Amino acid sequence: MGAAVERSSVGVVEELRERIRQLQAAPRRALSVLRTGVDAVDALLPLGGLPLGHSVELCGEAASGRASLALRAVATAHRELRLCAWVDGPKELYPPAAAALGVDLERLLVVRPRAFAQRVWAAVQLARSGAFTAVVVDLTHGVGAAGRPARLSLPEARKLADAAARGGALVLLLTSPEAPADGLARLRLEALGIQGWSVELERSRGGGVGARVVRPWRELYPEVGLDAGAPLLDADAVAPGASGPGFYREPGDRVRNGLGILGQRPGRDAPMPSLGEALPPPGTC
């Protein structure tokens, strides 16, 4: 029985390798950066986009646009017939929303490790392999010592940067303000309610430190149709203690959605379907 399972696993691995070889053999042009598709954001970066061979942090609260910006970069890679990977520890990646932003789900490998350390380990292996143009790692919702948010350590950050350089991949780290990844180039995103959203370049070896832009939501979520008169809820206009439908609000009387769109956002408020099994602990394969 065990031998049969092992032979079956070997067959799946070989099939995946052959599929990757076929996709990599397709005609492609050389890439040095991945553009996000939001011109104002790309203009913040010294090379006009997110640089391959490096790790970049997208830091922000939930619903700040950090995941959507990463998906736009992934969509750029897919338009160039490249492969990408998404390490989705919190299980918040919602395939229909990703596809709406231009992501080719057949070119996106999704892995869902349970532990925070496994997310980092998986990202290192994926980036170092050289098979993926972009590797997105969701480091939000991890729990560390004493119940505090898990935070990327400096040795882990160096491993990720080294893997990105070796594999020529862009490693995008999704983090929260409570647990940023120090030592990396960082784009800080913030939701501004009906005003839109902002992006600030906090650190970059190439220059442009401190540059910040504020953009309307329609540039990040064109499919929402805000220009068509979609109803909005201004967070500043909600009085403390005011009642309202439960899915609009957090327990602390905060609007759940930084965007302020009335209703649920797939992947934030709705239950997530399972895309795959978690990776085994390092060293057990």
Side-chain angles (χ1 to χ4, degrees), residues 139-222:
L139 297 177
T140 62
H141 304 303
V143 179
R148 292 190 294 269
R151 188 167 183 169
L152 194 71
S153 67
L154 186 56
E156 289 173 328
R158 288 174 174 169
K159 286 182 180 179
L160 285 168
D162 178 71
R166 286 175 178 268
L170 166 67
V171 175
L172 282 177
L173 306 175
L174 307 184
T175 65
S176 65
E178 295 78 21
D182 292 332
L184 301 172
R186 176 186 301 156
L187 288 174
R188 182 178 291 274
L189 288 81
E190 182 180 1
L192 303 176
I194 60 174
Q195 301 174 36
W197 57 294
S198 69
V199 181
E200 181 178 4
L201 179 62
E202 290 196 341
R203 270 197 307 276
S204 175
R205 295 178 183 177
V209 176
R212 180 175 182 265
V213 295
V214 177
R215 307 306 301 167
W217 285 112
R218 64 177 176 272
E219 292 190 10
L220 192 59
Y221 302 110

Side-chain angles (χ1 to χ4, degrees), residues 77-273:
H78 287 168
R79 284 193 292 272
E80 299 296 336
L81 306 180
R82 305 300 181 98
L83 300 177
C84 297
W86 193 289
V87 182
D88 183 29
K91 300 184 179 180
E92 289 194 344
L93 180 63
Y94 187 64
L101 290 174
V103 171
D104 181 354
L105 298 177
E106 292 188 355
R107 295 180 180 274
L108 182 65
L109 174 66
V110 179
V111 295
R112 287 178 163 170
R114 292 188 179 90
F116 186 89
Q118 289 178 334
R119 302 181 207 176
V120 178
W121 178 85
V124 168
Q125 308 310 313
L126 292 167
R128 187 181 291 165
S129 72
F132 302 95
T133 296
V135 177
V136 183
V137 195
D138 193 336
L139 297 177
T140 62
H141 304 303
V143 179
R148 292 190 294 269
R151 188 167 183 169
L152 194 71
S153 67
L154 186 56
E156 289 173 328
R158 288 174 174 169
K159 286 182 180 179
L160 285 168
D162 178 71
R166 286 175 178 268
L170 166 67
V171 175
L172 282 177
L173 306 175
L174 307 184
T175 65
S176 65
E178 295 78 21
D182 292 332
L184 301 172
R186 176 186 301 156
L187 288 174
R188 182 178 291 274
L189 288 81
E190 182 180 1
L192 303 176
I194 60 174
Q195 301 174 36
W197 57 294
S198 69
V199 181
E200 181 178 4
L201 179 62
E202 290 196 341
R203 270 197 307 276
S204 175
R205 295 178 183 177
V209 176
R212 180 175 182 265
V213 295
V214 177
R215 307 306 301 167
W217 285 112
R218 64 177 176 272
E219 292 190 10
L220 192 59
Y221 302 110
E223 73 282 359
V224 171
L226 296 181
D227 290 338
L232 293 174
L233 177 64
D234 187 351
D236 297 330
V238 179
S243 61
F247 65 88
Y248 294 162
R249 311 176 64 80
E250 294 283 5
D253 288 326
R254 292 182 295 134
V255 174
R256 165 170 289 189
N257 229 328
L259 176 56
I261 298 175
L262 302 189
Q264 293 180 320
R265 171 183 294 178
R268 291 294 182 191
D269 305 300
M272 291 300 305

